[in-house]
Structures are given as structure tokens and as C-alpha cells.
Amino acid sequence: MASASLLKSSPVIDKSDFVKGQTSLRFGPASSARCIPNVSGSSLVVKSSYADELVKTAKTIASPGRGILAMDESNATCGKRLASIGLENTEANRQAYRTLLVSVPGLGEYISGAILFEETLYQSTVDGRKIVDVLIEQNIVPGIKVDKGLVPLTGSNNESWCQGLDGLASRSAAYYQQGARFAKWRTVVSIPNGPSALAMKEAAWGLARYAAISQDNGLVPIVEPEILLDGEHGIDRTFEVAQKVWAEVFFYLAENNVMFEGILLKPSMVTPGAECKDKATPQQVADYTLKLLHRRIPPAVPGIMFLSGGQSEVEATLNLNAMNQAPNPWHVSFSYARALQNTCLKTWGGRPENVTAAQEVLLIRAKANSLAQLGKYTGEGESEEAKKGMFVKGYVY
């Protein structure tokens, strides 16, 4: 368990920072300016009324022993999860499940942020409390998924691009007013399909524009170009592609004057393709992934919050733990969805009498990843369910 001293010493946003009910959408702290060098060598002075708040929010989420609960499944994806336990995809059932997740007693000890779908940001729990308020009471920062999903990228090798930039500024301002303090935008890169230079450039540019718009409206952007697990390629090929992707991403982040101290990253771990015959140990995954981070990620970035991408619950935790066996320039942590929720969902099964047991399972999973963030996870006592892989070929969110 994370020590009390570690948790208490972490920078935490006070509940009063989450201002709601204001008539103006602009109620961040006083303006501050930061100089960001552009590629030509000159300095651009970037003014943002939210600069200090963005840094504070990012540091709060990247606090010792804590990570992110990704519960931002779209209604369609949430429906797939509910169908797996025999429940109909209704708003009432989605509300019941999300209530279960956010109301776990003590969850804020291990979880610093929760990514929500738009429905959830405006939703109340089954007993009538605003979900945003429930999170804030647990010292969990509410976040919001802002992308509009993947669509085919014309002119590419059967690849995708992420839509959602149109109207993003006004949506982000409204999300901030509702209590969100960070955002998430997911795009993907497919190794079996190339990846083409066009797809990598489109992914990087879209992420950079989203990040700049988010910061301008008070939201810390999570930058997430997911390199999909699909494929038979080895770990060296993943490393090669990841280097190219992150070089593109940070080039365009700089071009768009994004403040690195006020972002978080959500990368894939460097692993072999899911169908590769040569499996990697946690130490190999850690070695390749940390080498990538050191080559590509500036130390100004506060937190690297890894996605699990279809790994089993235990595998994702073991790999994270291996990356935290020595100090890192960044907070190396987790932003898991299925790797936190899978056993919890199955334990619940849609039955009210199972809520407490399901919440206990989620807390155990969150604590395991908290220990992994501190480099203290052992893997002892894990259930067989937690060891089952969750990769689905061609999985669509």
C-alpha cells in the first residue's frame, strides 16, 4: 500500500478549485506567460489564463502511487461490456455500473483521475448525487473523452484517423464548466497496415491541435496515439514504429505551442504483436519502453500514464512494476480500462447483491497498480481471472 506520507505530500487540487455554476466559461487563474522554443530557434511567448492551473492539475494526476481509471467507454462499447454479463444496454444499466465504479470507498487513495464519457460527466449516481461531485469528494480529478472516434483515412493503407476537432473549443469550455479538468483524445496506429507516413502525420497533427485547444480551455490534454497490439511483428518492430510516432507527435506539439508541463501522455507499452510467437518478459517490456521514453519524451512532461491495450490485468501490472524499479524523470503510471474493470464487471454480473464484492475487486486491482507505480508489486495472490488476456483482434471501441 502507498504510504500515508507519500499520498499526503502529493500536490492535490482542493475541492474549491472545481468551480461550478458560473455564468462565465472563463474562470481560470490570472494570466501567465511561458516561452516555448519553436523549431526555427526563436521563442514564442504563449499566454494562457490557465497555465498555472494546467501544471497543478497534471501534477495532481501524476501523484505518487496513483493512476487513472479509464471509464470513458462510448455507449456502444459500454453496451458490449454489459452484454458480456447478460445486461441490456440501457442508460439505467450504464448508470448503475458507473455508480459502482465511482463510489468505491477509498478509491482515491490509488486513483487520481477518472476519464468519463460525455453522458457520465453530466450523469448522477443511482442515489441522485452528481458523478463529478462523487469523484471530487474522493480527491479524484474528473476528465472527459473529447474525440469523436475513428473513421477511414482516405489515401492510406486501410488506416484510420480520429475526428472531433470541429467545435472542440466550445465543447471543452462547457466540459470545464461542468467540472472536468483534463481531456483524452485517442487515435491509433496499426503496424500490420504500415504504418504509412500519412497515417502517422495525421495522428500527430490531430493530437497536437486537440492538445492546444484543450489547454486554451483549461483542460490538461492526455495525448494518446495507441500503437495497436494487432500483428505478428516482434518487439523490435514495435520499438521502431513507436520512435517514429513519438517523434512526429512531439514535433507537432511544439509547432502548436503546447505547454509540455501541462500535458499527460497515454502511450502503448513496447511489446511484441499479440500474435507474435516470441513473447516478452516484463523486464524486456520495461527495457524497450523506457529506452523509447528516454529517447523521445522530454522530462518536462509530468506523467506517462500507460494504456493496457488488451493485456491481462496481471500482465499490465507486472509490466508497469518492472518500469518502476529505478527512478524515472516522469511519473510512470497507468490509465487502464479493461485492466482495472474486467474482474470487477464479472464479479458484479449486474446483480445489486454483488456490488460490494465487485467494488472490493476493483479496489484490489487499483491497489495492485498503485504498488506497481511505486515498484513494489509482487504478483502474489492474483486470481486466474486476472491472468486472462483480453486482446481481441481488430477490436473496435
Side-chain angles (χ1 to χ4, degrees):
M1 182 182 294
S3 70
S5 61
L6 276 173
L7 294 168
K8 288 179 180 178
S9 64
S10 306
V12 176
I13 294 178
D14 187 82
K15 295 173 187 177
S16 63
D17 290 335
F18 297 89
V19 184
K20 296 184 287 296
Q22 302 292 329
T23 55
S24 170
L25 296 181
R26 286 280 187 186
F27 45 87
S31 263
S32 58
R34 292 176 184 266
C35 291
I36 299 178
N38 67 7
V39 291
S40 66
S42 61
S43 291
L44 299 171
V45 178
V46 182
K47 292 184 178 180
S48 171
S49 59
Y50 294 103
D52 292 338
E53 182 184 356
L54 291 168
V55 172
K56 185 177 180 181
T57 299
K59 287 182 177 179
T60 297
I61 296 171
S63 54
R66 300 207 294 169
I68 295 173
L69 169 61
M71 48 178 290
D72 58 320
E73 299 88 354
S74 67
N75 288 348
T77 301
C78 194
K80 293 178 183 178
R81 307 277 169 86
L82 294 175
S84 73
I85 57 170
L87 283 187
E88 187 181 353
N89 186 15
T90 64
E91 182 178 357
N93 284 336
R94 294 193 299 270
Q95 179 190 40
Y97 180 54
R98 287 159 175 163
T99 296
L100 182 158
L101 296 176
V102 302
S103 58
V104 175
L107 187 64
E109 186 174 357
Y110 312 116
I111 300 295
S112 56
I115 312 172
L116 310 178
F117 190 59
E118 187 175 65
E119 177 183 73
T120 317
L121 182 69
Y122 292 92
Q123 207 169 37
S124 295
T125 62
V126 292
D127 56 353
R129 296 179 295 160
K130 292 181 179 179
I131 283 180
V132 167
D133 292 343
V134 174
L135 290 170
I136 293 168
E137 287 168 7
Q138 297 233 51
N139 287 323
I140 297 173
V141 183
I144 177 69
K145 168 187 162 71
V146 299
D147 68 76
K148 294 293 185 179
L150 300 169
V151 292
L153 178 60
T154 303
S156 71
N157 184 27
N158 195 30
E159 294 164 286
S160 300
W161 69 281
C162 188
Q163 58 189 346
L165 289 177
D166 289 351
L168 179 59
S170 58
R171 287 192 290 122
S172 297
Y175 296 149
Y176 182 95
Q177 188 179 43
Q178 182 63 17
R181 289 297 179 270
F182 70 100
K184 174 207 162 180
W185 176 288
R186 172 187 176 265
T187 192
V188 300
V189 172
S190 171
I191 291 179
N193 289 351
S196 67
L198 172 63
M200 287 193 288
K201 193 175 294 292
E202 175 59 46
W205 177 256
L207 284 165
R209 290 304 305 142
Y210 138 78
I213 293 168
S214 295
Q215 288 190 339
D216 194 49
N217 289 280
L219 302 178
V220 170
I222 289 182
V223 178
E224 181 185 358
E226 179 179 353
I227 298 173
L228 298 171
L229 277 176
D230 300 66
E232 301 176 357
H233 54 277
I235 195 168
D236 287 292
R237 176 60 177 157
T238 305
F239 181 79
E240 176 189 3
V241 170
Q243 285 196 105
K244 292 179 180 178
V245 169
W246 284 104
E248 290 273 333
V249 168
F250 273 94
F251 174 82
Y252 285 115
L253 286 172
E255 283 284 275
N256 282 272
N257 304 316
V258 172
M259 184 177 67
F260 293 168
E261 303 99 310
I263 67 173
L264 295 167
L265 304 186
K266 186 170 178 176
S268 315
M269 298 177 190
V270 180
T271 67
E275 297 161 293
C276 179
K277 295 178 181 178
D278 298 323
K279 303 303 178 184
T281 65
Q283 190 57 54
Q284 288 173 315
V285 171
D287 289 345
Y288 273 87
T289 304
L290 290 174
K291 182 164 68 171
L292 169 69
L293 296 182
H294 281 284
R295 287 187 180 182
R296 290 291 182 264
I297 312 304
V301 174
I304 318 289
M305 322 299 285
F306 282 98
L307 60 88
S308 55
Q311 299 178 65
S312 74
E313 292 175 326
V314 171
E315 185 181 10
T317 309
L318 284 169
N319 288 340
L320 178 63
N321 185 72
M323 283 185 256
N324 281 296
Q325 294 306 299
N328 292 303
W330 329 267
H331 175 79
V332 175
S333 192
F334 60 93
S335 177
Y336 295 163
R338 285 177 288 170
L340 277 172
Q341 297 181 42
N342 185 57
T343 304
C344 168
L345 178 67
K346 292 184 177 181
T347 302
W348 176 50
R351 297 181 175 86
E353 63 270 23
N354 293 343
V355 166
T356 299
Q359 290 183 327
E360 289 174 355
V361 166
L362 178 60
L363 197 64
I364 288 170
R365 194 78 257 134
K367 180 182 178 182
N369 285 293
S370 169
L371 289 170
Q373 197 288 309
L374 299 169
K376 298 178 180 179
Y377 172 73
T378 63
E380 295 178 0
E382 292 283 10
S383 68
E384 290 304 310
E385 184 63 46
K387 298 176 183 177
K388 292 181 180 178
M390 291 178 279
F391 169 73
V392 178
K393 187 174 183 178
Y395 186 76
V396 178
Y397 287 79

